[in-house]
Amino acid sequence: MSTEVVMPQMGESIAEGTITKWLKKVGERVERDEPLFEISTDKVDAEIPSPAAGTLTEIRFQEGETVEVNHVVAVLDGSEAAPSRAPVVEEPKKAEPSPPQSRPTVQTTQQATTESQRPEPPKSPQPPLKPPIEAQTPPAKAPATTREGKGNGSSSATAEELRRTKSSPLVRKIALEHGVDIARLEGTGLSGRVTKNDILSFIESGGPTPAAPIQEAPVAPATRPSEGDRVEQMTVMRKKIAEHMVLSRRTSAHVTTVYEIDMTRIAKLREQHRESFLERTGTKLTYMPFIFQAVNTALRKFPIFNAQVTGDQIIYKRDINLGMAVALDWGLIVPVIKRADDLSISGLARAANDLADRARTKQLKPDEVTGGTFTITNPGVFGGLFGTPIINQPQLAILGVGKIEKRAKVMTSSDGDDYIAIRWMSYFALSFDHRVIDGADAERFLAYIKEFLEAGEFSL
């Protein structure tokens, strides 16, 4: 009996994944739960285990190809495998029939594909030009998928371009004619995909209609390598990071404030309990759990930093889910400590060390890299004094921790005399979204963290 291996749903908002490496070849034996292939999404890189034991008889997508979730990518054992689900392409000449027992995800995408085949509605006189309507939600990745050079009718768009535009060519044409930036619309299709009904409803409700088409954003000129240069293709993760960073800079009004914090009491407390903590918990005691707990307390006191923006509304998140940036040899990933304020110092240490270790071995689960409400990054581990971190969308702030080192510090005694002492110091940089967070609130937030850490009143 054959077993179909499908592209898994790697998180609620993820509609596709790119196969980066096959760990088995056709004809090789694979055991149940043994890693079969590696994938990369805009959230996580992961090894995908085999759903059953058997012999790998067919590989339907090669390394580097992007595949929609729930599509069959391989077959184990027998030769009578179910027909492959055709990858979704834009403007196909002939619609693919729905496979038996089709999944809801495939049905949704087929509906969007069918819409792109319908004839364009006749043009009618347009109302006068109106000011653009602001976005309702930040842009989301779209599920469109193509296989380069295979089954792609007249469309020449790449999978990357389709994900950025979140729509079919017909929808993009309607948007261009009516001056609608589809990247700023809330789509009802899969993963925020803007459908034909979405764009027509938006226009009928009073969307803008320009006198001239909207021009595409300028693209940086291409450069040619010189003799002796080495050219290397961006990895999927690298491209996702690039897209995410540019999106964040376009979305949020970034402002950064920096505080110098005395970590001496934390350093002494850590040194005093280092060995006993390791024996008792089985994990190392770093500075980060103390910082996590200080941030948790500050987020409860200043909930605007644990919020998100959608249109003209602010959503204050109930749970505190701390994202922690982890540097990898091949990129950067942000696993999330869920409900971090429910954890003690030891619980935070175990969670952070476990997530970091599994991130470096590609063992993270999909839900462990989603749902973050506030992010902490630690460039200081590499020696950086401080940086100006970019906000991790759709969050509203991110905290960067600089190098914790001994410095000469001017102190004041209880009787008012000044003296110089050697202290463990660090710079903390807070980047925040000035659309909804005022500078005064950012100062109060970081000042509170400074006071909390310098007091050093932690229970181990």
Side-chain angles (χ1 to χ4, degrees):
M1 180 178 178
S2 62
T3 300
E4 293 181 337
V5 181
V6 300
M7 175 62 70
Q9 178 82 43
M10 299 297 289
E12 181 180 354
S13 64
I14 297 176
E16 63 193 6
T18 299
I19 298 174
T20 55
K21 185 178 181 181
W22 281 101
L23 303 176
K24 294 289 184 178
K25 298 179 181 178
V26 172
E28 290 186 343
R29 174 77 181 179
V30 59
E31 300 299 328
R32 181 182 177 87
D33 294 329
E34 181 181 3
L36 181 57
F37 61 102
E38 294 180 358
I39 70 167
S40 181
T41 73
D42 59 349
K43 298 292 185 183
V44 66
D45 280 9
E47 292 180 344
I48 305 303
S50 175
T55 301
L56 182 59
T57 59
E58 183 182 359
I59 291 178
R60 297 186 178 177
F61 291 86
Q62 300 304 313
E63 294 177 358
E65 292 191 277
T66 301
V67 186
E68 188 179 275
V69 298
N70 294 328
H71 270 60
V72 178
V73 299
V75 178
L76 297 175
D77 276 340
S79 59
E80 298 181 358
S84 174
R85 294 174 177 82
V88 178
V89 296
E90 299 296 332
E91 293 186 340
K93 295 181 180 179
K94 183 177 181 181
E96 294 291 335
S98 301
Q101 300 179 348
S102 58
R103 296 174 174 82
T105 298
V106 177
Q107 291 175 346
T108 303
T109 309
Q110 288 174 336
Q111 180 182 359
T113 304
T114 304
E115 290 173 354
S116 69
Q117 295 175 283
R118 296 175 182 170
E120 186 179 346
K123 296 182 180 179
S124 57
Q126 303 299 331
L129 177 64
K130 298 180 181 179
I133 295 180
E134 291 298 322
Q136 295 179 338
T137 59
K141 301 294 181 185
T145 307
T146 61
R147 294 181 66 180
E148 295 180 7
K150 300 177 183 180
N152 193 352
S154 59
S155 175
S156 60
T158 65
E160 291 293 330
E161 291 168 344
L162 296 175
R163 281 195 294 272
R164 285 196 295 270
T165 52
K166 302 197 319 174
S167 65
S168 68
L170 175 60
V171 172
R172 293 198 297 274
K173 187 174 187 297
I174 296 174
L176 192 63
E177 292 175 349
H178 292 266
V180 179
D181 182 0
I182 57 176
R184 301 173 68 88
L185 295 185
E186 181 178 11
T188 60
L190 181 63
S191 294
R193 183 180 180 86
V194 177
T195 66
K196 179 184 173 184
N197 288 337
D198 292 333
I199 188 71
L200 293 179
S201 297
F202 178 79
I203 294 170
E204 292 172 0
S205 66
T209 54
I214 292 178
Q215 300 296 322
E216 294 287 339
V219 179
T223 59
R224 291 188 176 184
S226 303
E227 183 178 354
D229 293 349
R230 181 169 61 90
V231 179
E232 184 177 285
Q233 184 67 28
M234 273 190 178
T235 63
V236 174
M237 174 176 276
R238 187 80 268 156
K239 288 189 288 187
K240 296 298 184 185
I241 292 173
E243 291 175 2
H244 196 58
M245 294 300 98
V246 172
L247 169 65
S248 182
R249 295 293 293 185
R250 290 177 177 173
T251 301
S252 298
H254 280 67
V255 179
T256 303
T257 183
V258 181
Y259 271 51
E260 187 179 40
I261 297 180
D262 189 337
M263 299 288 288
T264 304
R265 291 187 178 180
I266 304 298
K268 291 180 178 179
L269 190 64
R270 176 173 171 260
E271 185 63 29
Q272 179 183 354
H273 295 276
R274 185 197 301 264
E275 293 184 4
S276 60
F277 188 88
L278 179 60
E279 293 176 358
R280 176 166 52 88
T281 66
T283 193
K284 294 181 180 179
L285 180 62
T286 67
Y287 287 102
M288 297 311 295
F290 300 100
I291 297 171
F292 291 155
Q293 193 168 90
V295 169
N296 288 335
T297 308
L299 291 174
R300 285 299 180 211
K301 185 174 179 64
F302 303 92
I304 186 60
F305 291 87
N306 197 56
Q308 296 174 3
V309 171
T310 175
D312 57 359
Q313 295 180 329
I314 301 174
I315 303 175
Y316 292 87
K317 307 300 289 184
R318 180 194 64 182
D319 297 336
I320 293 178
N321 298 331
L322 290 185
M324 42 172 279
V326 177
L328 309 172
D329 292 339
W330 57 92
L332 178 75
I333 197 167
V334 185
V336 178
I337 303 175
K338 300 295 179 66
R339 296 189 177 182
D341 59 329
D342 289 341
L343 301 177
S344 62
I345 289 291
S346 58
L348 290 168
R350 277 193 293 261
N353 293 338
D354 173 63
L355 288 171
D357 289 343
R358 289 191 290 112
R360 297 185 181 102
T361 56
K362 299 184 178 180
Q363 299 298 318
L364 289 175
K365 300 175 182 178
D367 62 349
E368 292 175 327
V369 292
T370 58
T373 59
F374 185 93
T375 295
I376 299 173
T377 182
N378 184 19
V381 71
F382 300 105
L385 292 180
F386 69 89
T388 55
I390 297 177
I391 298 168
N392 186 15
Q393 297 295 325
Q395 299 167 27
L396 296 183
I398 181 172
L399 180 67
V401 179
K403 182 179 181 180
I404 301 174
E405 61 180 357
K406 290 181 180 180
R407 299 180 198 149
K409 182 72 175 176
V410 176
M411 308 288 290
T412 303
S413 64
S414 56
D415 56 7
D417 294 332
D418 291 339
Y419 64 97
I420 296 177
I422 297 176
R423 308 291 290 182
W424 287 93
M425 306 297 297
S426 178
Y427 293 110
F428 281 44
L430 176 72
S431 292
F432 58 95
D433 191 338
H434 211 351
R435 294 180 302 168
V436 292
I437 298 177
D438 295 330
D441 289 331
E443 298 301 318
R444 295 186 187 101
F445 179 81
L446 202 46
Y448 182 87
I449 292 176
K450 173 182 172 69
E451 180 182 358
F452 194 97
L453 290 172
E454 290 183 346
E457 298 175 354
F458 293 88
S459 176
L460 295 178

